Amino acid sequence: MQTTIFIVGYMGSGKSTVGRKMADMLGWKFIDTDFFIENRFRKRVADIFADEGEAVFRRRERVVIEELSGMEKTVIATGGGLPCHSDNMALMNEAGLTLYLEVSDEVLALRLELCKRTRPKVKDKTGAELLAHVREEMAVRGELYRAARVVVNADELVTEEDETKLVIHIVEDLRAKGFLP
């Protein structure tokens, strides 16, 4: 029986939205690692990237995921790059249940177009350039994300009703597989 669920996937895949709803449904705590880092270091993720660089941010992610790995009855939405650095994915697979929200490159690019100003790695990309970037990143990250113990397609997340249906499906599936009480 798992008491920590780590949700992984590319930015824009729905990790925070699904994670929050899942935690509410289970009566568990919810933590978004990006917000946790922002509160801990009193600086926005975008500003950490801009002022201190990606390497500093990735080290902070590692420290945070090590700390959070011991939490019980917690759903943790990870930053999109967190599973791709150090041995973070292995650590999460050992510490709890990993769930990958898989979304097609085209859908990711469409979602990111709507919220890119808060995403340091894509804020200056548009249209075909954004899609090319997503494809390039997913060519590398997809395999790492698929190391999660459970993979769920999240292409159809459009409305709040879609989100609720997906979370119900995930929770029922995890219970049926013996991952949850």
Side-chain angles (χ1 to χ4, degrees):
M1 211 62 63
Q2 298 299 322
T3 63
T4 307
I5 298 172
F6 298 94
I7 302 179
V8 302
Y10 198 68
M11 61 179 141
S13 63
K15 300 179 300 289
S16 296
T17 302
V18 168
R20 192 171 283 108
K21 284 186 177 292
M22 186 181 295
D24 287 347
M25 187 175 291
L26 295 170
W28 290 10
K29 293 175 285 228
F30 172 75
I31 296 172
D32 180 300
T33 60
D34 285 346
F35 291 127
F36 193 88
I37 288 168
E38 287 179 344
N39 287 329
R40 165 72 50 84
F41 297 98
R42 301 190 191 288
K43 200 171 200 177
R44 292 179 330 127
V45 168
D47 293 335
I48 296 170
F49 265 79
D51 299 343
E52 302 173 60
E54 184 175 0
V56 169
F57 178 73
R58 297 301 175 199
R59 282 195 302 275
R60 290 178 179 176
E61 275 186 322
R62 176 60 185 198
V63 168
V64 163
I65 205 65
E66 285 174 353
E67 180 181 335
L68 297 178
S69 290
M71 298 193 75
E72 294 190 4
K73 293 190 174 183
T74 306
V75 177
I76 300 168
T78 66
L82 188 146
C84 307
H85 296 275
S86 302
D87 61 343
N88 292 341
M89 193 66 177
L91 173 65
M92 291 184 293
N93 274 328
E94 191 177 300
L97 176 70
T98 49
L99 176 89
Y100 168 35
L101 293 182
E102 187 173 45
V103 179
S104 70
D105 298 347
E106 294 76 15
V107 171
L108 285 170
L110 288 171
R111 289 181 188 172
L112 291 172
E113 189 70 50
L114 300 173
C115 65
K116 67 183 179 182
R117 68 176 179 75
T118 62
R119 314 282 187 163
K121 294 188 92 174
V122 298
K123 68 180 180 185
D124 299 324
K125 296 175 180 11
T126 57
E129 186 182 36
L130 181 57
L131 178 57
H133 175 79
V134 170
R135 283 188 173 140
E136 185 178 307
E137 291 263 287
M138 287 304 296
V140 174
R141 290 182 178 196
E143 185 177 333
L144 296 164
Y145 293 149
R146 282 195 247 352
R149 291 172 54 202
V150 177
V151 178
V152 176
N153 184 284
D155 270 345
E156 302 299 320
L157 289 180
V158 178
T159 66
E160 192 169 339
E161 185 179 336
D162 296 335
E163 296 162 0
T164 301
K165 284 180 186 175
L166 181 63
V167 170
I168 289 169
H169 168 76
I170 291 169
V171 169
E172 287 174 352
D173 187 52
L174 293 179
R175 284 189 171 133
K177 291 177 177 172
F179 289 124
L180 292 174

